[in-house]
Each structure stands twice: as structure tokens, then as C-alpha cells.
Amino acid sequence: MLARSCLRSTRTLASAKNGAIKFTKRAASSSSSGSAAQSSPVGLNIAAVAATTVAAGSIAWYYHLYGPTAHATSPAEEGLHPTKYPWVHQQWFKTFDHQALRRGFQVYREVCASCHSLSRVPYRTLVGTILTVDEAKALAEENEYDTEPNDQGEIEKRPGKLSDYLPAPYANDEAARFANNGALPPDLSLMVKARHGGCDYIFSLLTGYPEEAPAGATVGDGLNFNPYFPGTGIAMARVLYDGLVDYEDETPASTSQMAKDVTEFLNWAAEPEMDDRKRMGMKVLVVTSVLFALSVWVKRYKWAYIKSRKIVYDPPKSGHSGPTRL
């Protein structure tokens, strides 16, 4: 009995202590919450200002580190930035000028094809855009291509077909370098996409050859001065001169006209699907606009009775007319 009474008293004292501690914690928390409630507007304003300052500082520091454009070389070594020209075919609702493409292909064949290749352009892509079927077939048959090995293992030659690609002017890169004093003429299939500035760069490069290098400009041996080429020294000399090509449509073949035509042709060679892509984009915009309008109408129709209904709270009726007194 004595042991039981001692245990009971110990439990009573422990519960009393816990209750006192809990009461003290509740009082402290209530007092702290009351003081926090009194000082909350000022604290919230200070916290908001601090968070905004930290966020703005982080963005500014990130832009300072990674925002500016990183130049691998100096602006002088990169070359003069080309002028921005209003190319019509680059507008949203415009297509390639097929007459300009035909003239540009003529300039490429008569001037550029002696050094540069178009290894990614087959004859079939010229059909319907630049040449007719008969013209493309006749042009392909002017060149010979390797056939499959025969029974004796010999590879014979055959006339070209529409599925063949435009031939390269040289057999390999070594032959191209040997014929151009060590310089390798690049392939022009994707040149508009491969150079910063695109059409503006190509046009500026072709028309940017001065009569003589300006005073103070240093050009290496075998190079020609062109301010738009990186380093201003280019192995290709000026190739376009007034009247160099006789256009079929009797367009005056000035230097700028030939440069403009061949630039548009090279843009087409890099993006032969551009007209189809724009046409498909217009179809997609029209269809999605109609579907969006229909979805808005269906949404309004389905939710009309839910959004237009009125919810009224009807409290339960009390049996007592007055307040209940205790």
C-alpha cells in the first residue's frame, strides 16, 4: 500500500509539472503571436524589400556573368557586321521569287560552280521551282555518274538522273586545295545557315570588294581584302562584275543584281521547303483558330448553367422565439 501511494503521488507531481510547462508554453506562444501580430506589417514589408533586393541582385549578377555576348575574337577580327537588307522572301506572307531563283541558279552555274559545290541539292528539287522536268533531265544528263559494279566488278558510267545530286567541281578536297593555292572552297548547300547574318552576309561579301585595300590594312600573300570576311583577308577574289551573265529574261546583270539573285538561290538551297512550311503554318493557324473558337463556345455552353445559378443559404428554423437564458 505504501508503495502504491508513493507511485500515485509521483505520477500526480509529474502530471502537474507537465501541465505547468504546457501552460507556460501556451502563454509564451500567445504572447509572442500577439507581438508578432502587432509587428507583422512592418516585418512583412522589410522581408518583401529584402527578397526583392536579393532577387534583383541575383538577376543582375547572372546577367553580368552570362548575359553579354561572348566573342571568341575581337570585333576587328570578326569582320564588319553586314547591313540588314529587306529580303522579301523572309517575310511571313511572302515566298521565294522564282524568277530570281532561276537567275541565281544561272549565276551559280556560270560563275560559282567552277569552285564551289552543292552536294546536298539533287536535280529533282529543281523541278517546279527553278526548272521544268525536261530542263532538269537534260541538265542531269550532261554529267556522268558511277553505276553499280557489273558481273566483272567494273564500274561503268551512266548519264545523270533526277535522283542524282549536283556534281562537285573537284574529285576530292586535296584537288580543290591544289587548284586554289591551298584554300578549300566550301560547299554552298547550307552556307546561308552556316554564316552569321545569312543572306545579308553573303550579299555584303559578294559586293564588298573595294578597288584597293584601304590605307593601314594588312592582307596576307594570296589573299584579297574584304571587310565583311573574318580577318578581312579572303582567298576568293572578286568574281561578280557588271554584265558578266546574260540573263534569259533580259534583266540587267549588274553586280548587285547578280549578288542578290545568287544569294536568294543559296537561301533556297538551304531551305527548299520554306514555302511549303509557310503554307502549312498558315493552315495550322487557321485550323487552330477555329478549334479555339469552338472550344471557347463549348466551354461557355457547358458551364453556363453552373455559373448562372444562384446559391441561397436557408438557415434552419429555431423553435425558440427569443434567446435562451441559463
Side-chain angles (χ1 to χ4, degrees):
M1 296 295 292
L2 180 60
R4 291 181 181 177
S5 61
C6 291
L7 290 174
R8 290 175 181 175
S9 61
T10 303
R11 292 175 182 175
T12 305
L13 290 174
S15 61
K17 289 181 180 179
N18 293 333
I21 292 172
K22 291 180 180 179
F23 178 78
T24 305
K25 289 182 178 179
R26 289 177 182 176
S29 63
S30 61
S31 61
S32 62
S33 62
S35 61
Q38 294 177 358
S39 60
S40 59
V42 177
L44 290 176
N45 292 335
I46 294 175
V49 172
T52 304
T53 304
V54 172
S58 302
I59 295 174
W61 181 250
Y62 183 85
Y63 179 80
H64 173 71
L65 293 178
Y66 307 104
T69 304
H71 297 278
T73 56
S74 62
E77 294 175 345
E78 289 183 357
L80 186 64
H81 191 76
T83 306
K84 183 67 176 178
Y85 294 100
W87 300 97
V88 177
H89 65 272
Q90 292 182 350
Q91 300 178 11
W92 287 8
F93 303 102
K94 300 295 183 180
T95 60
F96 283 114
D97 182 2
H98 289 224
Q99 291 294 330
L101 295 181
R102 189 178 178 91
R103 294 193 301 266
F105 182 60
Q106 182 180 353
V107 173
Y108 167 77
R109 287 186 58 197
E110 299 182 12
V111 180
C112 307
S114 59
C115 296
H116 297 276
S117 61
L118 280 175
S119 60
R120 297 177 181 269
V121 179
Y123 290 102
R124 65 176 181 270
T125 58
L126 303 174
V127 177
T129 304
I130 299 175
L131 303 176
T132 62
V133 177
D134 296 335
E135 290 175 341
K137 287 182 178 180
L139 181 63
E141 291 174 355
E142 293 179 0
N143 303 286
E144 293 184 345
Y145 294 84
D146 295 336
T147 60
E148 297 295 332
N150 54 20
D151 297 337
Q152 289 78 27
E154 297 178 354
I155 298 178
E156 300 177 352
K157 296 291 184 179
R158 60 165 177 83
K161 301 182 295 185
L162 292 179
S163 59
D164 295 323
Y165 287 79
L166 297 178
Y170 302 104
N172 47 57
D173 293 347
E174 287 71 17
R177 286 192 172 93
F178 178 78
N180 293 275
N181 297 324
L184 178 62
D187 183 81
L188 300 181
S189 301
L190 302 175
M191 185 55 61
V192 173
K193 293 295 184 182
R195 295 294 183 266
H196 177 71
C199 293
D200 299 327
Y201 169 78
I202 302 297
F203 180 83
S204 300
L205 182 71
L206 293 176
T207 59
Y209 288 93
E211 295 296 335
E212 58 182 8
T218 56
V219 181
D221 296 337
L223 300 179
N224 303 274
F225 178 81
N226 193 311
Y228 298 99
F229 189 78
T232 66
I234 183 173
M236 183 181 71
R238 180 181 176 180
V239 293
L240 298 181
Y241 296 90
D242 294 342
L244 182 63
V245 176
D246 294 330
Y247 283 137
E248 299 175 352
D249 56 359
E250 298 182 355
T251 300
S254 61
T255 301
S256 59
Q257 181 66 47
M258 290 185 292
K260 180 254 184 188
D261 293 337
V262 75
T263 299
E264 288 196 28
F265 168 73
L266 294 179
N267 195 170
W268 171 85
E271 292 182 295
E273 78 290 346
M274 191 185 73
D275 291 348
D276 295 334
R277 187 176 68 246
K278 288 183 179 180
R279 188 183 301 110
M280 182 58 66
M282 292 301 300
K283 294 179 181 179
V284 170
L285 290 178
V286 171
V287 172
T288 52
S289 300
V290 174
L291 293 178
F292 176 75
L294 288 176
S295 63
V296 171
W297 179 83
V298 171
K299 181 260 181 185
R300 292 174 63 88
Y301 174 78
K302 293 293 185 180
W303 286 80
Y305 77 98
I306 297 177
K307 291 187 175 183
S308 60
R309 66 182 180 178
K310 182 179 181 181
I311 300 176
V312 179
Y313 174 70
D314 189 9
K317 296 181 180 180
S318 177
H320 301 282
S321 58
T324 302
R325 296 182 178 179
L326 298 178

